[in-house]
């Protein structure tokens, strides 16, 4: 039975390349994008030569839209799944953004974007507060830092190190900014320069994050990429079951 073309998801596959990459040309053609409804029915399409795609679904409802990561370990996916709801809207725009992992480089003798230290320490209590009285156990503290970062003249900047919790079920987002006034979604594209962001409210402010990474190493890679794109104060924020971990 032909699929009625009244509900669709369309957008682009975006590759953020490392300017020092040795991977050469990377094609965004013929990559499978799939929408799965609440009953488990799947509908798929392939991207075109320019990385765009249009995916039709037969009826209104809630769908999870995913993409195959065909690029291997050299790239990681900023958001692996989006949820769309065709309950009035018939057209959704969903970009899938792949970020190339950065190579080590040397500028005027100052080395930048090195693999960051993975020193760990056990927490004294072994658990951390999530929200209210809820805690998570088996926590390890992993070292993170603000660099090393070099400025436009190639001079190394001050490095600040700190520890961030890692453990079962913890994921990481990269916080870009916090404001007292909510940023309208219509301004996301211009305000965040094409970076897919999500919002959460905390301490009377609206905070905007990118990514939802399962490992701290992937989160550090994305943080460094975002800093090269102008988000100099980007930092890791740990979440557990959708709630920020307090530590």
């Amino acid at each position: 039975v032909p699929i009625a073309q009244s509900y669709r998801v369309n957008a682009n596959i975006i590759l953020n390349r490392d300017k020092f990459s040795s991977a050469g040309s990377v094609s965004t053609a013929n990559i499978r994008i799939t929408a799965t409804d609440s009953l488990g029915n799947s509908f798929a399409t392939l991207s075109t030569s320019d990385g765009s795609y249009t995916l039709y679904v037969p009826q209104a409802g809630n769908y999870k839209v995913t993409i195959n990561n065909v690029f291997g370990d050299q790239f990681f996916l900023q958001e692996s799944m989006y949820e769309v709801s065709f309950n009035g809207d018939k057209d959704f725009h969903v970009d899938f953004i792949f970020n190339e992992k950065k190579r080590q480089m040397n500028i005027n003798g100052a080395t930048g974007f090195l693999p960051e230290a993975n020193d760990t320490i056990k927490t004294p209590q072994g658990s951390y507060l999530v929200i209210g009285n809820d805690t998570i156990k088996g926590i390890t503290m992993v070292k993170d830092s603000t660099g090393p970062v070099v400025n436009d003249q190639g001079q190394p900047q001050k490095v600040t190190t700190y520890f961030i919790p890692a453990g079962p079920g913890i994921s990481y987002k990269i916080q870009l900014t916090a404001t007292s006034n909510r940023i309208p979604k219509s301004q996301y594209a211009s305000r965040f320069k094409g970076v897919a962001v999500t919002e959460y409210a905390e301490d009377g402010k609206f905070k905007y994050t990118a990514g939802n990474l399962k490992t701290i190493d992937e989160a550090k890679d994305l943080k460094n990429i975002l800093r090269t794109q102008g988000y100099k104060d980007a930092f890791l924020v740990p979440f557990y079951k959708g709630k920020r971990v307090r530590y």
Side-chain angles (χ1 to χ4, degrees), residues 137-240:
K137 297 180 179 180
I139 301 301
T140 298
M141 299 299 285
V142 181
K143 183 182 289 186
D144 191 22
S145 72
T146 58
V149 176
V150 293
N151 61 21
D152 294 338
Q153 289 74 44
Q155 301 298 318
Q157 302 299 285
K158 181 180 178 181
V159 176
T160 301
T161 60
Y162 55 95
F163 284 89
I164 188 167
I170 294 181
S171 60
Y172 304 92
K173 299 182 180 183
I174 314 303
Q175 187 162 313
L176 305 180
T177 190
T179 65
S180 299
N181 298 315
R182 171 174 278 168
I183 300 173
K185 289 186 177 180
S186 59
Q187 297 180 13
Y188 280 11
S190 58
R191 180 71 179 265
F192 296 106
K193 306 173 186 177
V195 176
V197 299
T198 56
E199 175 195 274
Y200 74 100
E202 184 183 55
D203 300 329
K205 290 189 175 182
F206 299 98
K207 302 182 179 183
Y208 297 88
T209 63
N212 187 19
L213 292 311
K214 300 302 181 185
T215 70
I216 201 163
D217 288 336
E218 289 179 321
K220 289 179 180 180
D221 285 338
L222 178 57
K223 179 195 68 176
N224 285 340
I225 288 172
L226 290 168
R227 283 183 172 166
T228 66
Q229 295 176 351
Y231 300 98
K232 301 296 186 184
D233 297 323
F235 63 95
L236 274 61
V237 182
F239 282 81
Y240 181 77

Side-chain angles (χ1 to χ4, degrees), residues 5 9 48 52 56 60 67 74 95 102 120 133 138 184 190 202 221-222 226:
Q5 297 186 0
V9 181
T48 62
S52 63
Y56 294 101
I67 189 171
Q74 187 60 26
D95 285 332
K102 303 191 73 61
T120 61
N133 294 322
S190 58
E202 184 183 55
D221 285 338
L222 178 57
L226 290 168

Side-chain angles (χ1 to χ4, degrees), residues 104-121:
Q104 181 174 325
M105 63 182 182
N106 190 283
I107 303 175
N108 294 342
T111 302
F113 305 108
L114 289 168
E116 296 180 81
N118 59 357
D119 298 347
T120 61
I121 58 174

